């Protein structure tokens, strides 16, 4: 029996799946997402995969060695408010932690929203005051119990929260990461009072300093756990009944995989499950092509996501921003805006707007003919001639040009006083400009020069629009990988089992310190990292990892004393020495000045380590594969032509089919490449070539 390695990614509009067999053949499959039953969309792609290999679905699933999955369950639940009511228990006197928050009104708002008085307001607390209870206890910064836990107080609090409608419980006590004795006892009491209750402890889930971030993240995790468990159980059951033998693995926001059982306990760690897969895939493919610095751009049906790869490593963030909540969980840094192929266009008072509202998978753009009546970016692409109505999803969905024209005419062209073609080009111009602005925010505004980066363009719509936003940025190359339409799913299949363990244990150096290792004692650092490594190792071994295969990456969050912003700096040595400590601080100073400007650092004031982190990884079995090395063209002849509305007029564009592509083929713009699962556009004045991996590389001329 043939062995298969499968990875799927459930997006807002389409579900993508990659199937790799044991001889290295890579298959790419797409189907419409089924919001009410994500497993159905995945099964639909697997039916196509089975037919592609002349086997039935049960035989394909029986041969699956590893099944990896990315999901938007937690993301959508947070954005749509579909989660359980949390009963939050806090130390007496600190029940207003979430209401006070950090006071940053602009978190999670667009640039336009920050300019409006009505929208520039603090977000609502994740847990309202009516579902927050305070209990008598106190542990100090050193972990000493200065006020014993009042257990009767805890029982009263649990009763009050149940009466107020609490469905799950979160416990976040002050300084619990220094001593968790009170939180553990509170959990025991909650279990006694509410048998079977779902309980999340901050000291177990997120033992780190910062009571607001820790409390917020703990509460969000508690609210998501039951929903994620129900969805994952249903997903696993559906695939198991269809013939899957192996337990699926789930993508985490940190770019690694975990078992369903482990992820259920850390539900909040999956809110960026899907988008980070594309960054991982870009890192993997970029390293093979010699690209050390990459801007990853993912344009799907609902959103446009941007990430960075620096020196062949994905840029990580200490926090995860979802909606207006900033969770204290490390993740691959991905920024997103509502700019996808399904983004809805409108004209109000003569002003053309695009997004952030999306037509989603149902009813979808007007051209899908599934009931959508409002115009979208996909409708504009079709009207402009970039999309072939008979080639969408490999011809499985015929697009309706007349419906697209009517929708644009009614909602945009006539209200704005434009022709249908002018309105369609306006829609495309606006969405391309918004995407270019986001890339500038991720690069230029963070001190990076876009000309030092290659742009990887993927997602269902990215290859069509990248010629425009990539050229505006001045990046020398735009790479459209052969896996573009299922790139995030491919990245999920390239990922390793990953476990992150962290602990806040503040350590400071006195002002004027020259030898930092005298205060940041190497033996203490090694002991703390050793404790975290042991915990991470135990979790990975429990998930089936081979102990000998586990690798550890150690880092600290560090800041200057009396400051609030931290940077992450890693240690390369297995055993930390005094020299390693001083080198780490020097690297911190270098990173700080690189971000905030030369001379902004003040080492003489002392530094403080706030949090220790260990990332443990173990490789997941996978096939040795090529991503799509092209064969010689199977069809000779010149490319076809099609009229495209560009620059305010209809012009001829060359049209290439997939069977005409071969290594070394050069393409001059304006040109369109119609692949079975996406459309690539080479813009006017640009040139492209097909490389040895099957990728289309577009050259920008500066």
């Amino acid at each position: 029996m043939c062995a298969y390695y499968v990875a799927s990614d459930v997006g807002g509009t389409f579900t993508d799946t990659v199937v790799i067999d044991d001889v290295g053949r890579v298959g790419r499959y797409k189907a419409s997402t089924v919001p009410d039953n994500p497993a159905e969309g995945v099964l639909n792609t697997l039916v196509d995969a089975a037919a592609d290999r002349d086997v039935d679905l049960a035989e394909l699933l029986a041969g699956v060695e590893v099944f990896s999955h990315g999901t938007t369950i937690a993301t959508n639940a947070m954005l749509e408010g579909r989660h359980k009511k949390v009963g939050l228990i806090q130390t007496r006197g600190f029940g207003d932690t979430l209401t006070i928050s950090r006071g940053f009104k602009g978190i999670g708002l667009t640039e336009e929203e920050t300019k409006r008085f009505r929208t520039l307001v603090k977000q609502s607390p994740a847990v309202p005051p009516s579902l927050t209870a305070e209990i008598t206890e106190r542990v100090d910064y050193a972990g000493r119990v200065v006020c014993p836990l009042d257990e009767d107080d805890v029982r009263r609090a649990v009763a009050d929260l149940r009466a107020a409608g609490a469905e799950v419980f979160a416990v976040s006590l002050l300084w619990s990461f220094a001593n968790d004795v009170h939180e553990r006892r509170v959990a025991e009491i909650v279990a006694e009072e509410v048998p079977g209750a779902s309980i999340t402890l901050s000291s177990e889930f997120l033992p780190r300093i910062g009571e607001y971030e820790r409390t917020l993240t703990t509460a969000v995790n508690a609210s998501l756990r039951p929903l994620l468990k129900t969805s994952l159980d249903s997903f696993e059951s559906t695939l198991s009944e269809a013939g899957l033998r192996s337990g699926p693995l789930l993508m985490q926001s940190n770019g690694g995989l975990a078992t369903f059982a482990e992820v259920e306990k850390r539900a909040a760690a999956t809110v960026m499950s899907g988008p980070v897969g594309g960054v991982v895939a870009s890192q993997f493919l970029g390293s093979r092509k010699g690209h050390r610095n990459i801007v990853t751009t993912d344009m799907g049906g609902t959103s446009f996501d941007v990430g960075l790869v620096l020196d062949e490593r994905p840029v990580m963030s200490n926090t995860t921003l979802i909606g207006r909540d900033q969770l204290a969980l490390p993740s691959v840094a991905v920024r997103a805006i509502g700019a996808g192929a399904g983004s809805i266009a409108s004209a109000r008072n003569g002003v053309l707007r695009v997004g952030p509202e999306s037509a989603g998978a149902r009813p979808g753009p007007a051209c899908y003919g599934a009931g959508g009546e409002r115009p979208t970016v996909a409708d504009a692409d079709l009207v402009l001639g970039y999309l072939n109505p008979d080639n969408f999803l490999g011809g499985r969905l015929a697009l309706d040009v007349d419906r697209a024209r009517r929708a644009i005419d009614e909602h945009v062209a006539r209200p704005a006083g434009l022709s249908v073609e002018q309105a369609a080009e306006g829609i495309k111009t606006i969405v391309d400009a918004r995407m270019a602005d986001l890339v500038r925010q991720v690069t230029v505004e963070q001190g990076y020069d876009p000309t030092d980066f290659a742009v990887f363009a993927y997602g269902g719509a990215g290859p069509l629009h990248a010629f425009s936003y990539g050229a505006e940025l001045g990046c020398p190359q735009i790479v459209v990988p052969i896996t573009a339409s299922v790139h995030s799913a491919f990245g999920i299949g390239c990922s390793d089992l990953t476990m992150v363990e962290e602990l806040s244990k503040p350590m400071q150096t006195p002002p004027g310190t020259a030898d930092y290792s005298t205060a940041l004692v190497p033996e203490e650092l090694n002991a703390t990292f050793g404790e975290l490594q042991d915990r991470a190792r135990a979790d990975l071994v429990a998930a089936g990892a081979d102990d000998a295969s586990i690798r550890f990456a150690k880092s600290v969050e560090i800041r200057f004393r009396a400051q609030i912003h931290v940077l992450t700096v890693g240690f390369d040595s297995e055993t930390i020495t005094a020299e390693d400590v001083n080198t780490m601080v020097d690297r911190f100073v270098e990173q700080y000045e690189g971000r905030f400007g030369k001379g902004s650092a003040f080492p003489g004031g002392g530094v403080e380590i706030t949090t220790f982190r260990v990332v443990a990884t173990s490789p997941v079995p996978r096939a040795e594969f090529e991503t799509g090395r092209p064969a010689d063209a199977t069809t000779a002849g010149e490319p076809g032509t099609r009229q495209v509305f560009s620059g305010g007029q209809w012009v001829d564009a060359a049209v290439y089919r997939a069977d005409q592509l071969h290594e070394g083929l050069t393409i001059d713009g304006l040109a369109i490449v119609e692949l079975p699962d996406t459309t690539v556009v080479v813009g006017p004045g640009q040139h492209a070539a097909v490389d040895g991996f099957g990728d289309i590389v577009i050259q920008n001329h500066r």
Side-chain angles (χ1 to χ4, degrees):
M1 178 185 293
C2 187
Y4 302 102
Y5 301 83
V6 179
S8 65
D9 176 35
V10 178
T13 306
F14 290 105
T15 293
D16 305 331
T17 297
V18 171
V19 178
I20 306 166
D21 59 31
D22 52 11
V23 296
R25 177 188 174 194
V26 180
R28 315 186 304 272
Y29 310 95
K30 295 180 77 74
S32 294
T33 292
V34 182
D36 297 334
N37 185 9
E40 183 179 340
V42 174
L43 282 177
N44 289 339
T45 63
L46 293 175
V47 167
D48 291 340
D52 193 26
R53 288 164 169 75
D54 294 322
V55 299
D56 60 30
L57 177 61
E59 183 178 346
L60 176 78
L61 288 172
V64 172
E65 294 292 330
V66 178
F67 189 107
S68 309
H69 180 56
T71 180
T72 57
I73 294 170
T75 309
N76 294 340
M78 282 195 66
L79 295 177
E80 299 168 10
R82 295 185 297 103
H83 43 71
K84 296 294 184 180
K85 290 184 178 179
V86 179
L88 176 61
I89 299 175
Q90 295 192 264
T91 301
R92 188 165 301 284
F94 291 85
D96 289 331
T97 298
L98 293 184
T99 302
I100 295 172
S101 70
R102 279 291 180 195
F104 301 141
K105 295 181 180 180
I107 290 179
L109 295 180
T110 64
E111 184 176 350
E112 185 176 338
E113 288 170 331
T114 60
K115 298 176 183 177
R116 299 178 189 165
F117 176 78
R118 290 187 178 182
T119 53
L120 187 58
V121 295
K122 289 166 63 175
Q123 68 269 38
S124 300
V127 180
S130 61
L131 284 169
T132 302
E134 300 180 357
I135 60 172
T136 302
E137 70 85 35
R138 193 62 182 266
V139 171
D140 72 4
Y141 74 97
R144 296 173 297 222
V145 176
V146 296
C147 178
L149 178 68
D150 186 333
E151 297 192 2
D152 291 336
D153 208 11
V154 177
R155 297 184 192 278
R156 284 192 295 270
V158 173
D160 290 344
L161 291 173
R162 289 189 69 188
E167 299 170 293
V168 294
F169 293 87
V171 185
S172 182
L173 304 181
L174 202 65
W175 297 105
S176 59
F177 61 87
N179 185 344
D180 64 355
V181 61
H182 287 172
E183 282 202 355
R184 286 188 287 106
R185 180 55 187 151
V186 170
E188 292 172 354
I189 294 173
V190 173
E192 293 169 7
E193 298 295 316
V194 190
S198 176
I199 309 165
T200 300
L201 303 182
S202 72
S203 57
E204 182 177 82
F205 170 63
L206 194 68
R208 58 177 295 147
I209 198 168
E211 62 269 23
Y212 169 67
E213 291 82 0
R214 176 163 48 88
T215 301
L216 169 65
T217 310
T218 301
V220 167
N221 190 73
S223 72
L224 295 175
R225 284 183 64 183
L227 177 64
L228 188 66
K229 177 174 173 50
T230 299
S231 297
L232 294 183
D233 285 349
S234 174
F235 185 91
E236 187 170 13
S237 175
T238 300
L239 291 180
S240 178
E241 290 175 2
L244 182 67
R245 297 181 296 109
S246 58
L249 301 173
L250 192 67
M251 190 69 164
Q252 304 173 88
S253 303
N254 58 34
L257 299 168
T259 63
F260 275 23
E262 181 61 39
V263 165
E264 184 276 320
K265 295 183 290 186
R266 304 178 59 82
T270 68
V271 295
M272 296 299 289
S273 175
V276 302
V279 182
V280 174
S282 299
Q283 173 202 20
F284 176 83
L285 297 181
S287 64
R288 302 201 329 169
K289 298 166 70 69
H291 294 299
R292 297 184 61 84
N293 299 328
I294 300 169
V295 181
T296 68
T297 61
D298 178 3
M299 185 182 184
T302 306
S303 65
F304 178 68
D305 305 323
V306 177
L308 287 181
V309 175
L310 287 177
D311 292 328
E312 298 187 359
R313 293 184 178 182
V315 171
M316 300 293 294
S317 171
N318 291 329
T319 59
T320 302
L321 181 65
I322 178 69
R324 298 197 62 191
D325 291 317
Q326 199 157 23
L327 307 183
L329 293 171
S331 69
V332 174
V334 176
R335 296 274 297 275
I337 57 173
S343 294
I344 293 174
S346 62
R348 298 178 184 175
N349 300 320
V351 178
L352 182 57
R353 300 179 184 274
V354 182
E357 185 183 0
S358 173
R362 294 180 179 175
C367 60
Y368 285 11
E373 298 180 350
R374 300 172 67 184
T376 67
V377 173
D379 294 305
D381 291 337
L382 181 62
V383 167
L384 293 172
Y386 291 109
L387 284 177
N388 180 347
D390 298 321
N391 187 59
F392 197 70
L393 289 181
R396 286 180 289 132
L397 176 61
L399 302 182
D400 192 322
V401 180
D402 291 336
R403 286 180 183 270
R405 291 185 63 88
R406 286 197 299 269
I408 292 175
D409 184 40
E410 178 182 351
H411 295 279
V412 179
R414 279 185 285 166
L418 302 170
S419 70
V420 172
E421 290 80 9
Q422 289 172 331
E425 189 166 35
I427 293 170
K428 183 181 182 302
T429 300
I430 288 174
V431 77
D432 288 347
R434 289 186 62 203
M435 292 188 288
D437 283 343
L438 181 61
V439 176
R440 272 190 287 268
Q441 291 174 28
V442 172
T443 54
V444 176
E445 292 185 14
Q446 299 299 317
Y448 304 118
D449 183 352
T451 61
D452 294 334
F453 291 77
V455 172
F456 270 53
Y458 52 93
L464 190 155
H465 287 261
F467 81 93
S468 179
Y469 63 73
E472 186 174 339
L473 293 165
C475 298
Q477 283 190 347
I478 303 167
V479 179
V480 180
I482 193 67
T483 56
S485 70
V486 293
H487 201 57
S488 290
F490 177 74
I492 292 169
C494 294
S495 300
D496 297 325
L497 275 175
T498 301
M499 185 59 59
V500 178
E501 291 287 351
E502 57 184 12
L503 175 67
S504 284
K505 192 174 182 180
M507 302 174 66
Q508 295 182 338
T509 64
T513 300
D515 182 359
Y516 298 102
S517 65
T518 58
L520 308 178
V521 182
E523 290 76 15
E524 294 184 26
L525 271 62
N526 285 319
T528 301
F529 278 127
E531 175 187 340
L532 296 178
Q533 287 181 196
D534 289 343
R535 282 161 41 184
R537 178 185 287 108
D539 289 336
L540 284 181
V541 170
D546 178 6
D547 194 353
S549 72
I550 298 175
R551 298 292 179 267
F552 299 99
K554 298 177 290 189
S555 62
V556 292
E557 290 183 9
I558 185 172
R559 63 188 179 189
F560 287 114
R561 290 182 55 165
Q563 291 196 356
I564 61 174
H565 297 294
V566 300
L567 296 179
T568 300
V569 182
F571 285 97
D572 298 324
S573 302
E574 184 174 342
T575 301
I576 298 170
T577 64
E579 182 181 356
D580 294 327
V581 172
N582 289 315
T583 299
M584 180 272 296
V585 176
D586 290 342
R587 289 167 62 187
F588 162 65
V589 172
E590 182 182 351
Q591 286 186 30
Y592 189 94
E593 293 196 339
R595 180 165 180 178
F596 298 108
K598 190 72 174 176
S600 59
F602 181 45
V607 298
E608 178 184 22
I609 290 176
T610 60
T611 302
F612 294 76
R613 179 180 298 132
V614 165
V615 179
T617 58
S618 175
V620 173
R622 62 174 65 95
E624 293 295 330
F625 56 88
E626 295 290 343
T627 56
R629 186 180 298 276
D632 292 334
T634 58
T635 302
E638 295 297 316
T641 60
R642 185 162 72 239
Q643 287 267 292
V644 172
F645 193 82
S646 175
Q649 60 183 336
W650 288 100
V651 296
D652 286 332
V655 180
Y656 292 82
R657 299 187 309 275
D659 57 9
Q660 292 177 302
L661 304 185
H662 58 87
E663 182 178 354
L665 174 69
T666 58
I667 301 171
D668 295 329
L670 180 65
I672 299 170
V673 181
E674 294 181 349
L675 301 176
D677 47 5
T678 192
T679 297
V680 185
V681 177
V682 182
Q686 295 176 335
H687 305 279
V690 180
D691 68 12
F693 298 106
D695 304 335
I696 297 174
V697 182
I698 302 172
Q699 301 288 342
N700 273 324
H701 296 283
R702 291 175 284 172

